[in-house]
């Protein structure tokens, strides 16, 4: 009989990081470049991405895929060398989980290869030709959350931005809201705007029935409280947060009843159960992203054959289905994801509407 300590040691050894790793033996090769051998040690984020991808080879690969993992120290030199080795192995798709190396470094290493590159970064990151973003952030969450509020009947939306919002984020938010035909009654930065009871404020904020609160810090909650205290919010007003909220925000009484549009796997799904069984830890959003790199490839190869993974096929408007629900890519390589709607209650979040499985 194996003791819990021995089992833990055995599993740790089984999943120890090596410079090169291969999972599966299928003909279509998918690659992942990490910085899991960085001098500072592996990060939870990259470990989860790799483990999610390795799990997916067994769960959805159908024996048609193999996963080639290049674990580097995160330096541009090692990453470029890894990309060169992968190009020589005719990989069909490359995913990059390293957070801070220029994507162009990988493209240079790939040389003339036209393998699509999935950068596990947000839509604000650089995207050379043939590169696709793969991570959704607080702006994506806020835009989808606002569309949910409008679809639920809210007509006058006030947008409250945290002080740390960047100009690029503001532009993406404006474009995203406009894409859904949403014209906010007011967009204000918390901590710099006072919602008093003067005539101008009353005119602008009258009958507000929706608040998009992107941040969850004291200035953000304070601005929401001002709106409530001065009677600007209708009784049925919906407060919509974002994936940028800290978990501690769920315990703030001012935010109870708020709605959040969150990306990631649903608890109790087949993927989360299998992940927990194999790695003895819960699967988070990063694990789902790793899983979905393989799910994307598996779907294309299963339906269209070994040569189906191309830059053009990734832009299919129908998108793909994975552990983190449905996702698709725009012509410019940006990623769009469906998300689940949760409500803040009793210091936590409760699932209200599962993420749609299609667009």
């Amino acid at each position: 009989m194996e003791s819990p300590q021995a089992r833990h040691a055995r599993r740790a050894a089984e999943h120890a990081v090596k410079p090169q790793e291969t999972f599966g033996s299928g003909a279509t090769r998918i690659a992942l470049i990490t910085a899991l051998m960085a001098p500072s040690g592996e990060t939870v984020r990259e470990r989860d991405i790799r483990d999610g991808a390795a799990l997916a080879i067994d769960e959805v690969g159908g024996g048609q895929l193999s996963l080639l993992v290049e674990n580097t120290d995160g330096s541009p030199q090692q990453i470029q060398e890894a990309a060169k080795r992968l190009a020589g192995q005719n990989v069909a798709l490359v995913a990059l989980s390293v957070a801070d190396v220029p994507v162009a470094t990988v493209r240079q290493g790939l040389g003339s290869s036209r393998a699509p590159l999935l950068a596990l970064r947000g839509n604000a990151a650089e995207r050379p030709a043939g590169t696709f973003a793969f991570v959704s952030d607080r702006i994506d969450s806020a835009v989808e959350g606002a569309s949910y509020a409008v679809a639920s009947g809210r007509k006058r939306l006030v947008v409250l931005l945290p002080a740390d919002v960047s100009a690029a984020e503001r532009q993406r938010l404006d474009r995203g809201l406009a894409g859904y035909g949403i014209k906010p009654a007011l967009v204000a930065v918390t901590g710099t705007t006072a919602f008093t009871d003067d005539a101008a404020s009353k005119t602008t904020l009258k009958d507000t029935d929706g608040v998009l609160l992107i941040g969850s810090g004291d200035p953000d909650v304070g601005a929401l409280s001002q709106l409530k205290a001065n009677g600007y919010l209708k009784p049925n007003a919906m407060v919509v947060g974002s994936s940028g909220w800290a978990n501690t925000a769920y315990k703030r009484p001012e935010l109870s009843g708020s709605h959040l549009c969150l990306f990631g796997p649903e608890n109790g799904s087949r993927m989360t159960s299998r992940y927990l069984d194999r790695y003895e830890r819960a699967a988070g959003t990063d694990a789902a992203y790793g899983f979905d790199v393989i799910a994307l490839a598996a779907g294309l190869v299963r339906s269209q054959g070994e040569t189906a993974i191309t830059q053009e096929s990734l832009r299919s408007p129908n998108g793909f289905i994975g552990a983190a629900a449905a996702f698709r890519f725009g012509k410019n390589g940006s990623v769009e994801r469906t998300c689940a709607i949760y409500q803040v209650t009793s210091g936590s979040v409760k699932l209200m509407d599962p993420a749609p499985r299609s667009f």
Side-chain angles (χ1 to χ4, degrees):
M1 181 176 179
E2 189 177 42
S3 70
Q5 292 83 0
R7 183 173 67 251
H8 179 76
R10 175 177 57 78
R11 291 195 174 187
E14 289 173 353
H15 302 300
V17 177
K18 307 175 184 66
Q20 283 88 33
E21 301 175 285
T22 300
F23 302 90
S25 56
T28 302
R29 297 169 177 171
I30 311 302
L32 172 64
I33 301 175
T34 81
L36 284 172
M37 301 195 76
S40 57
E42 66 180 42
T43 64
V44 172
R45 170 184 170 272
E46 285 204 286
R47 181 193 63 186
D48 286 355
I49 290 170
R50 182 202 65 175
D51 289 350
L55 175 68
I57 287 291
D58 292 336
E59 294 297 316
V60 299
Q64 296 177 294
L65 306 180
S66 55
L67 173 64
L68 281 56
V69 182
E70 289 276 350
N71 296 310
T72 74
D73 64 3
S75 67
Q77 179 181 357
Q78 281 204 8
I79 289 173
Q80 190 170 85
E81 290 173 353
K84 288 180 180 178
R85 283 192 295 272
L86 293 170
Q89 297 178 77
N90 296 319
V91 294
L93 177 70
V94 179
L96 174 70
S97 63
V98 186
D100 52 5
V101 71
V103 175
T105 300
V106 181
R107 270 288 158 216
Q108 290 167 5
L110 291 173
S112 60
S113 169
R114 280 186 49 81
L117 173 60
L118 300 181
L120 279 90
R121 304 176 184 183
N123 284 323
E126 60 163 337
R127 288 193 302 275
T131 305
F132 300 81
F134 207 67
V135 172
S136 297
D137 61 14
R138 65 179 181 176
I139 298 301
D140 302 307
S141 169
V143 169
E144 297 303 321
S147 72
Y148 177 83
V150 171
S152 300
R154 279 32 181 212
K155 300 182 183 302
R156 288 186 58 80
L157 184 71
V158 169
V159 178
L160 299 179
L161 304 174
D164 66 349
V165 70
S166 67
E169 285 183 309
R170 174 66 186 272
Q171 291 172 356
R172 286 178 51 221
L173 177 67
D174 291 344
R175 286 197 303 268
L177 294 177
Y180 281 122
I182 300 173
K183 297 179 180 180
L186 177 70
V187 178
V189 177
T190 62
T192 63
T193 305
F195 299 103
T196 58
D197 60 355
D198 61 277
S201 295
K202 289 179 179 179
T203 299
T204 302
L205 299 171
K206 181 182 178 181
D207 295 329
T208 295
D209 59 4
V211 179
L212 181 58
L213 187 68
I214 295 177
S216 62
D218 288 339
D220 309 296
V221 176
L224 177 64
S225 297
Q226 276 190 339
L227 288 172
K228 292 179 178 178
N230 287 316
Y232 290 130
L233 302 188
K234 296 181 71 172
N236 70 335
M238 178 184 290
V239 177
V240 178
S242 79
S243 61
W245 282 18
N247 288 345
T248 53
Y250 304 155
K251 301 184 185 301
R252 300 193 67 151
E254 304 96 326
L255 300 180
S256 180
S258 301
H259 290 73
L260 295 166
C261 182
L262 300 180
F263 307 101
E266 292 181 11
N267 290 332
S269 68
R270 178 183 174 88
M271 179 267 176
T272 57
S273 298
R274 297 294 194 194
Y275 191 93
L276 182 62
D277 288 343
R278 178 178 292 196
Y279 302 112
E280 297 187 318
R281 66 181 189 275
T285 304
D286 291 319
Y289 286 149
F291 190 97
D292 286 357
V293 169
I294 303 302
L296 178 159
L300 285 171
V301 172
R302 185 170 54 249
S303 62
Q304 302 176 39
E306 293 182 3
T307 61
I309 303 174
T310 65
Q311 296 177 22
E312 292 72 26
S313 65
L314 259 64
R315 297 187 178 94
S316 167
N318 294 327
F320 307 90
I321 296 293
F327 60 97
R328 63 183 175 186
F329 302 103
K331 293 181 179 179
N332 64 353
S334 61
V335 66
E336 177 187 1
R337 292 180 180 274
T338 61
C339 55
I341 299 297
Y342 291 81
Q343 187 170 35
V344 178
T345 179
S346 302
S348 185
V349 291
K350 176 183 178 182
L351 179 64
M352 302 297 290
D353 289 315
R357 302 291 290 176
S358 63
F359 290 94

